[in-house]
Amino acid sequence: MLVLAFDTATPAVTAALHDGRQVLAESTTIDARRHGELLAPTIEIVLREAGASLGDVTAIVAGSGPGPYTGLRVGLMTAQGLAVTLGVPAYGICTLDAVAYGSGLSEPFLAATDARRKEVFWARYSDRRTRLDGPFVDRPADVPVQGMPVVGAGADLYPEVLGESSGPPYPYAGSLAALAAERIEAGTPLDRPRPIYLRRPDAVVPGAPKRVTA
């Protein structure tokens, strides 16, 4: 098994390789505006550091969001393209699941990432592997924290409402790859790499022009 995982649903452009036992290489750059420019070089870095080639990869995994449309589609389109080129399966895993897995928590908690517009994407977990609810998008004040720990950049942005974050801010690809490898090894069905959108795109098709009357 050699899993290539990456995520572009947050400001973290992150990629990693996992051989079914451990993370062999991981690279992350925080830049919310250069997903398309940075992803391919990041993949090249982890392949080189692991002493592997694309031809060695047996599965592709991409974070499927939720996240902003522009960044999210970079990772998912790359996953689909590589899967076709290499003839290997491609899977999608909720980005919040990667944040949750990276927390290492074994107690109930929430994971939250920045949704912009003064909102957060969030989900509820019973432990780092098990999502109970979500994902959702809400204003921070409407997230039902109920005294639970909150992990992720959402908490870092709104600590006065969500509390101080007790885990990783982003869905680092090492966590995404490890979670995917666990599920593949266990025979757990994984989703196809399709985006999780919780909002309609900002761009809309222009309507018909208004009639001008004299």
Side-chain angles (χ1 to χ4, degrees), residues 57-167:
V57 172
T58 60
I60 306 290
V61 178
S64 53
Y69 174 77
T70 302
L72 180 56
R73 70 177 181 173
V74 169
L76 293 171
M77 291 176 66
T78 300
Q80 293 166 4
L82 286 175
V84 171
T85 300
L86 300 174
V88 300
Y91 305 108
I93 290 181
C94 177
T95 293
L96 290 166
D97 288 357
V99 176
Y101 188 88
S103 74
L105 293 175
S106 58
E107 61 190 274
F109 67 97
L110 303 180
T113 57
D114 183 18
R116 304 179 183 176
R117 305 182 192 174
K118 299 183 179 180
E119 293 179 324
V120 295
F121 298 121
W122 67 277
R124 182 168 62 233
Y125 296 81
S126 61
D127 56 57
R128 68 174 181 155
R129 293 179 172 86
T130 310
R131 176 160 34 105
L132 298 176
D133 242 342
F136 306 106
V137 59
D138 284 299
R139 295 177 300 177
D142 295 330
V143 176
V145 178
Q146 299 174 337
M148 288 184 286
V150 182
V151 302
D156 293 333
L157 288 170
Y158 305 102
E160 70 285 355
V161 179
L162 300 178
E164 296 290 338
S165 175
S166 54

Side-chain angles (χ1 to χ4, degrees), residues 164-179:
E164 296 290 338
S165 175
S166 54
Y170 299 115
Y172 294 113
S175 296
L176 181 64
L179 177 58

Side-chain angles (χ1 to χ4, degrees), residues 4-28:
L4 172 61
F6 42 84
D7 193 292
T8 57
T10 75
V13 181
T14 179
L17 279 172
H18 196 289
D19 67 357
R21 298 182 301 275
Q22 62 184 344
V23 174
L24 301 178
E26 180 178 13
S27 180
T28 300

